[in-house]
Amino acid sequence: MSRLAAGTGLSIEGVYRFDLSADTVKANAMLAGLGRTRRVLMGDTLLARFTPDEIEVIFAHEIGHHVFRHIRKMIVVGAIYSTIGFWLVDRLVDGLGTASRSAIKSALDLPVYTLPS
C-alpha cells in the first residue's frame, strides 16, 4: 500500500479493519483523515471475499479520490447546488404571495397554513 501511495504525497498512518458484516454483505474501503495523513479503513467483507490483488486495485481507486481531490470538488459542487436550490425555493415562496390573491402575504405566513383547520 505504501508503494501505491508513494508518488501522491499521501502519508498513510495505518491500515484498519472495520466491521461491516453485521450490517451488510457489501465490500467497502475508504481513506480517513485530514491534511496529508490518512488512515486506510477496509471492511471485513472486503478482506474476506477479495484477493490481495483485487484489494490493491480497490485501494488504488481510493487513492485516486485523494489525488484528484474528489472530496473537495464534491463539497464545492454541493454548496453551489444548495445555494441555487435555496434561492429557487425563496423565489418560489415569494412568488406564492404575489402571484395569487391568497392570504399569504409573506413566507412567514406559510407555517400557519400547514396547521390543521
Side-chain angles (χ1 to χ4, degrees):
M1 290 195 190
S2 333
R3 177 182 55 80
L4 288 173
T8 64
L10 185 67
S11 172
I12 297 174
E13 294 292 318
V15 179
Y16 302 94
R17 177 181 178 263
F18 66 104
D19 185 25
L20 279 178
S21 59
D23 299 323
T24 184
V25 295
K26 294 180 182 178
N28 204 348
M30 68 184 85
L31 295 175
L34 296 174
R36 288 282 182 203
T37 60
R38 295 287 189 273
R39 283 138 191 92
V40 178
L41 304 171
M42 295 192 176
D44 59 344
T45 52
L46 171 74
L47 297 171
R49 295 177 32 215
F50 289 81
T51 67
D53 287 339
E54 292 170 323
I55 292 171
E56 186 175 337
V57 169
I58 292 167
F59 179 65
H61 171 87
E62 295 304 322
I63 288 178
H65 287 305
H66 171 77
V67 169
F68 294 110
R69 294 177 167 75
H70 289 161
I71 300 299
R72 289 181 189 154
K73 289 176 183 175
M74 291 308 294
I75 289 171
V76 169
V77 168
I80 290 169
Y81 278 126
S82 294
T83 302
I84 291 169
F86 283 125
W87 180 81
L88 287 173
V89 169
D90 179 60
R91 296 291 91 212
L92 178 68
V93 169
D94 277 351
L96 285 177
T98 58
S100 67
R101 300 199 182 269
S102 69
I104 299 174
K105 302 294 184 232
S106 83
L108 297 175
D109 294 336
L110 286 176
V112 173
Y113 291 100
T114 61
L115 296 174
S117 8

